Amino acid sequence: MIFEIALNGLMLGGLYTLMGAGFSLQWGISGIINLAYGGMTVLGAFVAFSLFRLVSVQPLVSCIPAAIIMFSLGWAIYKFFLRPTIRRGTFFVTLIMTFAIELVLENFMLYVWASDYRIITSPYSGISVQILHAEVPLIKLIMFAISIACVYLVHLFMSKTKPGKAIQASALNPQGARVVGIDVEKMYAINFGIGAAIGAVAGALMSNITSFSVVLTGSLVGKVFVIAVLGGLGNIWGAALGGITLGLVESYGTITIGSEYNEAIGLVVMVLVLVLRPRGLIGRKYWDV
Amino acid sequence: MLRQLFENKKIRIIGISAIVLFLMGIPWLITGYWVRLLTSIFMYATLSKAIDLMIGYLGYVPFGNVVFFGLGAYTTGIAMSHGIPFPLAMVMGALISIMVCIFIGVPVLRLRGHYFAVATVGLNGAIMAIALNATALTGGAMGLTFPVLPAPPEIIYRYFYYMMFALMVAAIIVSIIIVKSRFGYAVRSIKANEEAARALGINTTVTKTAIWIISAIITSIAGAIYGFWMSYISTMDVFNIMIGVTCILMTLLGGAGTIIGPILGALIFQFLSEMVWSQFLEFHLGILGVITILVIFFIPGGLVASLKESFTRAKVQHKEAGS
């Protein structure tokens, strides 16, 4: 029983890791608490859903177009809305700006897809596999694998490629980065876009296992917040730690206290961590590998 | 010209008393719809003032300040359903809010900037979940019903109109007193530089908690009146984070850290909301978002600051023309 709970929590934690990584990147590197992240994630899910319904693209393949669309959108939002705001106001104005963007996104989704709960029923959703006496749906395993693969890809991008290193440099020391010829603003915009794309992929994956709706955006932002705070900012291993912790806590809490307290448990854990260890469980501030 | 008029003390007093008298008399002349609209404007103005105490003067953004609104409404509702009269129930709501402020405020106020904003959202979410699931006490998802006043609707509307109006006036007076007092200077010094304030011997923890408590009391009383006024509340209503965000927006629109800014913001915002975009229900959220973006781009300092600036400019031009 305990093993089953832990396994379920781990699977959920994989998805949360991916979801939290995008938010954590945007917060830790571009310095923006993106309240529109929930909207971006659900938009990714809707793109996958529409592709599945209209042209019957495999739900796992549709991650790619969802990521590309959301990358462009995230990049544009940073360039045309967030950058000018950061230049003239305090962090609190930027926070309100992302909330305004969230409202527009939400309204758009409500208009196009309405507020009904949707789910993608893929051809392999009925199959389950046996792992040490525990039944695990195949789709959850695939989802877990893809999540971890994506997180690893982002890690590789950030640590091995030139643009990735430039993004890290911009986060650590903007002035220094400028001196060596890095276009810091461009890097922030690209990073914000990558964050949005990661959110979209997480949303597209999520649409395979749970029903989703526009109504969920708020609670998704709550979750990624918890993850980012648990793990510390801009740190992909932190996001992994935070995501898996949240997944385990939630799946254990569902059994012992009941699923209706899920969100509250996460938030209480977050407030505790904020107060006791303001830099997160790992405690490094910037991206580091 | 206009500025000189504003600066003249006598004219100011006459103007303010005229406005107060006008607002005292108006509910006898207009229909119930307008009385309700004005009441809701007063409520938002009060909530915005309470939030502005934190944003404009202390420099902390309590994104989830609406938690006190919900606490006030729910405590009052529960107390009243056990037969406790409204004024006492309202005080109980305020006391609960104070307790939450002290026990949770002290650790949470150690956080700065984003982290504080986020922690208050978390606090709101957690307390909302408790209210939603403690069905025996709060009615859970069914919501909570208040006893209805035994009177015809027009009288009830006026009753709540005056109550909300009095609360708004009280909030304004409290903020004026705070701004002019030693305590107010301490609060603003924390906004300017918290470390320096501490070095000067200001007990920052006590000051921050105290101002948050004042903000929470005002908010929770507004919640209590709102619950009694609506006579039915649900967690989705009174713990709705949108209320808090709308108030932050109103403060931003009018001008944070000014006496009249949040009131002006609430007035304009609620009127616009009622008159213009309630016609387009499908795009309500989107239009709200677009207006927010426009406000941030074009009047980042708020209306009051923009008006002041244009007055000063007019004055300078006037002088130049005269010389």
Side-chain angles (χ1 to χ4, degrees):
Chain A
M1 189 62 184
I2 291 284
F3 178 68
E4 223 163 297
I5 297 171
L7 203 61
N8 250 317
L10 191 68
M11 301 283 153
L12 198 60
L15 183 64
Y16 283 167
T17 300
L18 187 62
M19 217 181 267
F23 184 74
S24 180
L25 278 183
Q26 292 181 335
W27 188 354
I29 292 180
S30 306
I32 290 165
I33 296 205
N34 183 12
L35 293 180
Y37 194 77
M40 291 173 170
T41 308
V42 175
L43 192 56
F46 271 125
V47 169
F49 175 79
S50 291
L51 284 175
F52 181 66
R53 271 290 163 84
L54 299 176
V55 276
S56 59
V57 178
Q58 281 290 312
L60 297 175
V61 180
S62 58
C63 287
I64 298 163
I68 293 171
I69 292 173
M70 286 313 291
F71 175 82
S72 333
L73 188 67
W75 180 82
I77 285 176
Y78 185 87
K79 188 155 167 113
F80 296 114
F81 293 101
L82 295 173
R83 185 65 216 144
T85 315
I86 296 172
R87 200 168 285 164
R88 72 180 78 190
T90 55
F91 83 90
F92 135 68
V93 181
T94 318
L95 204 64
I96 297 276
M97 186 55 131
T98 63
F99 193 78
I101 291 164
E102 161 78 20
L103 289 180
V104 175
L105 280 181
E106 242 176 66
N107 203 162
F108 171 74
M109 287 187 282
L110 272 177
Y111 188 67
V112 179
W113 289 284
S115 63
D116 311 335
Y117 275 85
R118 318 280 184 137
I119 189 165
I120 296 179
T121 339
S122 54
Y124 25 80
S125 62
I127 313 165
S128 48
V129 235
Q130 194 97 3
I131 304 176
L132 296 176
H133 312 299
E135 290 264 317
V136 179
L138 179 64
I139 187 82
K140 278 197 179 176
L141 269 182
I142 298 177
M143 199 192 68
F144 181 73
I146 295 184
S147 298
I148 297 304
C150 284
V151 171
Y152 189 67
L153 272 180
V154 174
H155 166 71
L156 280 185
F157 172 78
M158 283 293 174
S159 55
K160 294 286 180 329
T161 66
K162 239 183 171 175
K165 284 180 182 167
I167 288 175
Q168 277 191 62
S170 312
L172 282 171
N173 189 342
Q175 250 106 35
R178 250 178 230 118
V179 168
V180 295
I182 295 171
D183 185 346
V184 175
E185 289 315 323
K186 194 173 153 198
M187 290 305 139
Y188 285 163
I190 291 175
N191 175 66
F192 196 81
I194 291 175
I198 293 175
V201 171
L205 289 176
M206 182 187 72
S207 66
N208 287 297
I209 53 155
T210 54
S211 51
F212 64 96
S213 149
V214 183
V215 188
L216 275 184
T217 52
S219 82
L220 282 180
V221 172
K223 279 198 206 312
V224 288
F225 243 124
V226 176
I227 297 164
V229 166
L230 283 179
L233 298 181
N235 185 320
I236 217 151
W237 303 122
L241 178 69
I244 288 171
T245 311
L246 184 67
L248 290 175
V249 166
E250 273 194 3
S251 66
Y252 189 69
T254 307
I255 303 291
T256 51
I257 314 179
S259 59
E260 65 271 16
Y261 280 104
N262 250 353
E263 228 159 287
I265 298 170
L267 292 171
V268 167
V269 170
M270 175 186 78
V271 173
L272 282 181
V273 170
L274 269 177
V275 169
L276 300 176
R277 283 199 59 107
R279 287 218 163 160
L281 294 174
I282 292 185
R284 288 186 214 146
K285 204 176 173 195
Y286 293 105
W287 183 276
D288 71 37
V289 194
Chain B
M1 258 298 278
L2 216 50
R3 192 181 170 82
Q4 278 167 347
L5 273 182
F6 275 120
E7 273 167 3
N8 189 323
K9 217 169 187 178
K10 260 185 203 161
I11 293 176
R12 229 187 202 181
I13 291 172
I14 293 172
I16 290 172
S17 11
I19 291 173
V20 170
L21 278 178
F22 174 72
L23 288 174
M24 294 283 276
I26 195 94
W28 302 90
L29 304 171
I30 52 182
T31 57
Y33 166 77
W34 288 96
V35 176
R36 282 203 312 271
L37 177 59
L38 279 174
T39 315
S40 79
I41 289 175
F42 293 158
M43 185 185 89
Y44 274 106
T46 311
L47 293 176
S48 305
K49 278 263 36 133
I51 272 195
D52 188 39
L53 283 180
M54 296 293 288
I55 298 176
Y57 299 109
L58 187 65
Y60 279 61
V61 185
F63 234 77
N65 220 26
V66 69
V67 66
F68 301 117
F69 188 74
L71 274 176
Y74 262 95
T75 315
T76 310
I78 293 165
M80 281 179 80
S81 65
H82 286 87
I84 296 170
F86 177 68
L88 199 62
M90 194 168 78
V91 172
M92 284 169 70
L95 284 179
I96 298 269
S97 295
I98 294 173
M99 268 157 60
V100 169
C101 257
I102 292 172
F103 288 119
I104 298 176
V106 173
V108 166
L109 274 166
R110 274 173 43 203
L111 308 166
R112 303 272 172 92
H114 295 106
Y115 290 99
F116 176 75
V118 174
T120 59
V121 175
L123 180 64
N124 183 52
I127 291 187
M128 176 175 163
I130 293 169
L132 189 60
N133 294 306
T135 314
L137 199 59
T138 61
M142 296 275 289
L144 189 66
T145 323
F146 283 64
V148 180
L149 283 175
E154 302 87 61
I155 296 182
I156 295 182
Y157 291 156
R158 276 179 217 138
Y159 180 71
F160 288 111
Y161 175 92
Y162 285 120
M163 208 144 48
M164 230 25 134
F165 182 60
L167 182 63
M168 182 181 77
V169 172
I172 294 172
I173 293 173
V174 164
S175 74
I176 292 175
I177 293 174
I178 289 175
V179 171
K180 299 222 161 136
S181 70
R182 211 183 143 81
F183 173 66
Y185 281 104
V187 169
R188 273 172 288 171
S189 75
I190 291 176
K191 184 186 183 185
N193 187 335
E194 195 162 337
E195 273 73 30
R198 194 178 299 142
L200 283 172
I202 294 167
N203 189 336
T204 50
T205 315
V206 171
T207 311
K208 285 191 292 185
T209 315
I211 191 93
W212 205 20
I213 285 177
I214 295 170
S215 170
I217 291 174
I218 296 172
T219 312
S220 77
I221 292 177
I225 299 175
Y226 174 82
F228 196 18
W229 178 34
M230 291 290 135
S231 77
Y232 166 81
I233 51 171
S234 67
T235 46
M236 289 298 170
D237 271 347
V238 292
F239 286 107
N240 188 350
I241 209 95
M242 283 300 294
I243 296 178
V245 175
T246 314
C247 290
I248 293 180
L249 193 55
M250 287 166 175
T251 308
L252 199 68
L253 176 65
T258 56
I259 297 293
I260 208 69
I263 311 279
L264 198 66
L267 181 72
I268 294 172
F269 198 93
Q270 271 301 89
F271 255 112
L272 272 181
S273 155
E274 198 67 24
M275 299 294 112
V276 184
W277 72 79
S278 61
Q279 318 288 330
F280 311 96
L281 271 183
E282 259 185 341
F283 299 104
H284 191 126
L285 283 179
I287 294 179
L288 185 62
V290 171
I291 289 183
T292 312
I293 294 173
L294 292 179
V295 168
I296 292 174
F297 274 156
F298 295 109
I299 25 178
L303 280 173
V304 171
S306 305
L307 284 179
K308 263 189 189 157
E309 198 179 302
S310 58
F311 276 144
T312 327
R313 207 178 298 142
K315 205 174 174 185
V316 170
Q317 277 169 356
H318 190 239
K319 259 188 192 163
E320 277 170 356
S323 64

